[in-house]
Amino acid sequence: AIRDGVIDAVINYKENCIQSNDNPDTYSTNQPQETFDRRIQFCLKLYADSVKAMRFPENENIEALASAAEARENEAKIVKDLADEDMTDSEDEH
């Protein structure tokens, strides 16, 4: 197990025992900070890419968006015209 690297130890033949090497304190190094920073950078990049994808649609969708905007404008005109007709009809009745 020692030779394979499973156990970090040394065989002491004089005392007939195995002495394990001390594990360094991971939190005394910069490793946790670097790992946490990589995770944060990944999340921020994912967020930025998502916002960018929502803000700038693909070129083929721009025409569909333009026609949808025109359709909304036409609907608004029709609704306004119908409301104006209703107002003039109700004024005529008085």
Side-chain angles (χ1 to χ4, degrees):
I2 295 172
R3 189 176 324 134
D4 293 337
V6 175
I7 299 173
D8 189 19
V10 177
I11 299 175
N12 187 343
Y13 292 104
K14 291 180 185 177
E15 297 179 12
N16 291 329
C17 66
I18 296 177
Q19 292 176 338
S20 63
N21 295 333
D22 291 334
N23 291 332
D25 183 18
T26 304
Y27 293 102
S28 66
T29 65
N30 287 337
Q31 182 183 7
Q33 180 182 358
E34 291 168 358
T35 303
F36 187 62
D37 186 55
R38 279 195 308 257
R39 289 179 182 174
I40 290 173
Q41 293 303 319
F42 172 78
C43 291
L44 290 174
K45 184 176 182 330
L46 180 66
Y47 174 78
D49 291 345
S50 299
V51 169
K52 192 182 294 184
M54 288 187 291
R55 244 186 236 165
F56 304 109
E58 297 293 326
N59 289 337
E60 58 219 22
N61 294 336
I62 291 176
E63 293 174 8
L65 291 174
S67 64
E70 290 174 9
R72 280 194 303 273
E73 289 174 6
N74 289 339
E75 287 177 7
K77 288 178 186 177
I78 292 171
V79 169
K80 183 180 177 193
D81 291 342
L82 290 174
D84 289 344
E85 286 178 14
D86 286 344
M87 293 297 284
T88 54
D89 288 344
S90 64
E91 288 177 2
D92 290 342
E93 291 176 0
H94 293 285

